[in-house]
């Protein structure tokens, strides 16, 4: 017997609507899956049994009274722990926020709840979303469900691991340089970063405000599109929120790719990409061509500098954003003789090494005398990246590349060398610098049994075509909705 925890959103909704499944049953199956996997995965920092059970009971009762709350009625959803949740501890993976209980919900969380979603809990992440493996979490790393000696990716590693394992049907992640797409790729699930401004950042604990974007992690492309329809929308509480029209992102699913122009990014699909990743990538590109897409190779010369620019801009913004953690306003305080000493001690005790490194790098890059040489230069590269993309999208509808140059690496194998960790983001960072959308779809498995992800990128507000191509990649891949071995028995395959 397979578990309801493995259903897709569309399947679960049909079951709930038709009375074949209750929100309570679905939630208990999700909790059971968490009990089975959490000791090894540590995908969650907090599981909110009590409130989730109350919400599921309320969903069932509403339905018994003929009320269908919304498109996520009764669906168990996990939230990355850098989005604030009212009355539920929110740590951003940092000891400096240990015990912090926010007084309000992030706008994206409110949107999920209004659509009927049940919040299962808060997922693990690299501290303040700085990292690519969840090993920078102040609460210990998460593991990859496909091989628990390996990382799930990051920084939304807990969200991706939970969705892959079935301890959440859908999760929210945040993506500043790849933190939704890269862990989705390493965990064999779908992860999508929307156009900057599409999903409100209100209540997202800021890392680098000009790059941060919230998005869905799910097991299917359709589920990601359906979730985006719920969380996207104008929010007066976020000054960068998009004010135009928000279409139905599922409108073009199933239309196929005939006649669409697909550009393979030359700089991101050759040197530096692992041969097994490259071969799965090429097969997926071939399948798009077989589906009638017009495939060409496109050169984006500035890609070479994007990573360096990101590692100046993101730390610079983080050094300003993290100044608010001063021992007075939130969470941890370590006393000292003066205010200055108290703040210094609090920060020394509360921030981990990677966050400290970023604050120092960012402060340096912004300091008088170095500003033009570092931050100013990086902003110019950012403009070149935007121009490269704009030029490329004059000739193609979407761009494609592998999501990550490698599959899931061993826990501990890259922690000593920050640069080798930073290099993992080479394919995902350009879309953040440009503010454009990107999605990772699983397309295969390597020799070690680890998932390989395929990235599709589109112009700003090009979500419909992005999902359209993603759906075709999903359909054509040999993936077939696979599950990690650790849950296969429970899944019933
Ligand atoms: N891994 C990248 C970093 O460390 C991206 C993180 C993110 O997208 N939040 O900055």
């Amino acid at each position: 017997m397979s578990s309801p925890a493995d259903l897709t959103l569309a399947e679960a909704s049909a079951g709930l609507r038709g009375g074949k499944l209750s929100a309570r049953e679905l939630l208990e199956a999700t909790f059971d899956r968490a009990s089975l996997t959490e000791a090894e995965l540590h995908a969650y920092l907090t599981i909110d049994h009590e409130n989730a059970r109350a919400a599921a009971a309320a969903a069932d009762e509403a339905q018994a009274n003929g009320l269908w709350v919304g498109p996520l009625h009764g669906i168990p959803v996990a939230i990355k722990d850098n989005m604030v949740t009212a009355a539920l501890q929110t740590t951003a993976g940092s000891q400096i926020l240990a015990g912090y209980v926010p007084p309000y919900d992030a706008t994206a969380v409110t949107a999920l709840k209004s659509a009927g979603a049940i919040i299962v809990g808060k997922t693990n992440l690299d501290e303040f979303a700085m990292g690519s493996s969840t090993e920078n979490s102040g609460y210990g790393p998460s593991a990859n469900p496909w091989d628990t000696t390996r990382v799930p990716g990051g920084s939304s590693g807990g969200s991706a691991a939970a969705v892959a394992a079935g301890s959440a049907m859908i999760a929210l992640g945040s993506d500043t340089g790849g933190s939704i797409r890269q862990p989705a790729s390493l965990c064999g699930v779908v992860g999508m970063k929307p156009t900057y401004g599409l999903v409100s950042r209100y209540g997202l604990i800021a890392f680098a405000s000009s790059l941060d974007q919230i998005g869905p992690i799910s097991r299917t492309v359709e589920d990601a599109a359906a979730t985006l329809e719920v969380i996207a929308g104008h929010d007066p509480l976020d000054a960068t929120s998009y004010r135009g029209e928000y279409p139905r992102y599922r409108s073009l699913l199933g239309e196929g790719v005939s006649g669409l122009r697909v550009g393979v990014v030359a700089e991101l699909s050759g040197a530096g990409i692992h041969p097994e990743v490259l071969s799965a990538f090429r097969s997926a590109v071939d399948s798009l061509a077989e589906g009638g897409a017009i495939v060409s190779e496109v050169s984006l010369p500035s890609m070479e500098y994007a990573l360096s620019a990101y590692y100046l801009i993101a730390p610079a913004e983080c050094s300003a954003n993290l100044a608010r953690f001063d021992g007075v306003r939130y969470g941890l305080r370590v006393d000292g003789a003066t205010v200055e000493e108290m703040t210094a001690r609090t920060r020394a005790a509360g921030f981990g090494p990677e966050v400290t490194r970023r604050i120092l790098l960012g402060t340096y890059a912004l300091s008088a005398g170095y500003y033009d040489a570092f931050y100013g230069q990086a902003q110019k590269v950012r403009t070149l990246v935007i121009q490269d993309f704009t030029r490329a999208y004059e000739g193609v509808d979407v761009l494609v590349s592998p999501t990550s140059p490698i599959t899931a690496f061993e826990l501990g194998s890259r922690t000593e060398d920050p640069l080798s960790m930073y290099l993992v983001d080479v394919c995902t960072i350009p879309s953040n610098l440009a503010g454009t959308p990107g999605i990772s779809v699983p397309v295969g498995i390597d020799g070690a049994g680890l998932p390989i992800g395929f990235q599709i990128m589109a112009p700003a507000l090009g979500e419909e075509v992005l999902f359209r191509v993603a759906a075709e990649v999903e359909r054509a891949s040999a993936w077939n909705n696979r599950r990690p071995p650790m849950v296969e028995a429970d899944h019933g395959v």
Side-chain angles (χ1 to χ4, degrees):
M1 249 284 285
S2 70
S3 159
D6 291 307
L7 297 173
T8 65
L9 164 57
E11 292 164 346
S13 284
L16 287 161
R17 253 186 204 279
K20 291 208 183 77
L21 180 68
S22 69
R24 264 177 284 202
E25 283 166 337
L26 181 55
L27 181 67
E28 292 308 326
T30 305
F31 283 153
D32 288 348
R33 187 57 67 79
S35 310
L36 186 73
T37 54
E38 271 303 283
E40 283 184 274
L41 294 185
H42 189 226
Y44 282 93
L45 292 176
T46 308
I47 297 188
D48 189 11
H49 291 98
E50 202 181 315
N51 288 314
R53 284 195 170 113
D60 286 336
E61 200 181 305
Q63 202 194 354
N65 294 323
L67 181 70
W68 185 254
V69 179
L72 299 180
H73 184 113
I75 301 299
V77 176
I79 311 288
K80 185 178 183 180
D81 204 25
N82 62 348
M83 290 168 226
V84 299
T85 40
L88 188 58
Q89 173 175 258
T90 300
T91 66
S94 181
Q95 285 293 341
I96 211 159
L97 282 176
Y100 172 62
V101 179
Y104 69 103
D105 279 328
T107 298
V109 174
T110 305
L112 291 175
K113 287 184 177 171
S114 309
I118 314 293
I119 309 300
V120 180
K122 308 294 294 287
T123 53
N124 198 12
L125 68 156
D126 289 294
E127 187 175 4
F128 288 108
M130 297 173 198
S132 308
S133 67
T134 73
E135 292 168 295
N136 296 336
S137 168
Y139 301 88
S142 301
N144 191 308
W146 294 82
D147 176 347
T148 53
T149 67
R150 293 174 187 262
V151 303
S155 62
S156 315
S159 284
V163 171
S167 53
M169 189 161 284
I170 283 162
L172 293 189
S174 66
D175 191 312
T176 304
S179 277
I180 290 174
R181 291 161 286 161
Q182 185 260 14
S185 173
L186 270 48
C187 289
V189 292
V190 175
M192 193 265 171
K193 180 199 95 76
T195 299
Y196 182 81
L198 222 51
V199 180
S200 169
R201 289 181 295 110
Y202 184 69
L204 170 67
I205 297 174
F207 162 13
S209 307
S210 77
L211 303 161
D212 298 340
Q213 194 46 203
I214 292 172
I217 295 178
S218 60
R219 279 177 235 129
T220 67
V221 171
E222 185 185 358
D223 288 1
T227 307
L228 184 62
E229 284 172 12
V230 168
I231 58 175
H234 178 65
D235 181 7
L237 298 172
D238 172 358
T240 61
S241 173
Y242 176 64
R243 287 170 183 277
E245 236 184 282
Y246 290 81
R248 266 186 82 250
Y249 299 112
R250 281 174 291 178
S251 60
L252 300 179
L253 294 185
E255 298 272 307
V257 291
S258 178
L260 283 183
R261 297 160 305 165
V262 174
V264 174
V265 182
E267 288 78 4
L268 303 179
S269 55
I273 310 291
H274 191 279
E276 284 186 90
V277 173
L278 211 47
S279 110
F281 170 72
R282 292 255 154 80
S283 311
V285 171
D286 289 347
S287 73
L288 287 174
E290 278 157 31
I294 303 149
V295 177
S296 62
E297 193 171 89
V298 174
S299 174
L300 279 71
S302 67
M303 292 299 112
E304 199 186 326
Y305 309 106
L307 191 79
S308 311
Y310 172 88
Y311 276 101
L312 286 164
I313 293 169
E317 293 187 20
C318 110
S319 71
N321 274 327
L322 270 56
R324 75 194 64 178
F325 302 104
D326 54 8
V328 177
R329 283 174 280 194
Y330 311 91
L332 182 76
R333 170 184 303 200
V334 182
D335 281 329
T338 62
V339 171
E340 212 180 341
E341 193 176 276
M342 179 277 293
T343 300
R345 285 188 181 171
T346 300
R347 303 180 116 220
F351 287 142
E354 181 62 24
V355 170
T356 306
R357 180 181 299 119
R358 304 262 182 131
I359 293 172
L360 290 172
L361 277 173
T363 308
Y364 186 76
L366 289 175
S367 56
Y370 297 103
Y371 185 96
D372 287 340
F374 294 116
Y375 185 73
Q377 226 25 43
Q379 289 292 15
K380 286 182 190 157
V381 171
R382 185 173 190 173
T383 301
L384 291 179
V385 170
I386 294 168
Q387 288 172 347
D388 264 6
F389 273 123
T390 306
R391 215 173 297 122
Y393 288 128
E394 282 165 11
V396 296
D397 297 298
V398 293
L399 291 166
V400 297
S401 77
T403 308
S404 163
I406 49 171
T407 55
F409 40 98
E410 296 279 344
L411 281 155
S413 64
R414 287 177 181 242
T415 38
E416 296 309 310
D417 179 6
L419 194 58
S420 77
M421 194 72 92
Y422 297 171
L423 284 168
V424 174
D425 304 318
V426 64
C427 300
T428 47
I429 276 175
S431 312
N432 297 83
L433 290 174
T436 49
I439 189 168
S440 179
V441 181
V443 284
I445 222 126
D446 72 3
L450 301 166
I452 297 170
F454 184 92
Q455 177 176 235
I456 304 148
M457 299 169 271
L461 303 172
E463 271 77 8
E464 282 169 284
V465 70
L466 184 89
F467 282 120
R468 177 178 175 183
V469 177
E472 177 65 14
V473 170
E474 178 181 61
R475 197 193 60 73
S477 76
W479 183 256
N480 289 330
N481 214 5
R482 288 202 215 188
R483 289 290 183 281
M486 76 185 297
V487 301
E488 263 175 14
D490 198 44
H491 178 48
V493 286

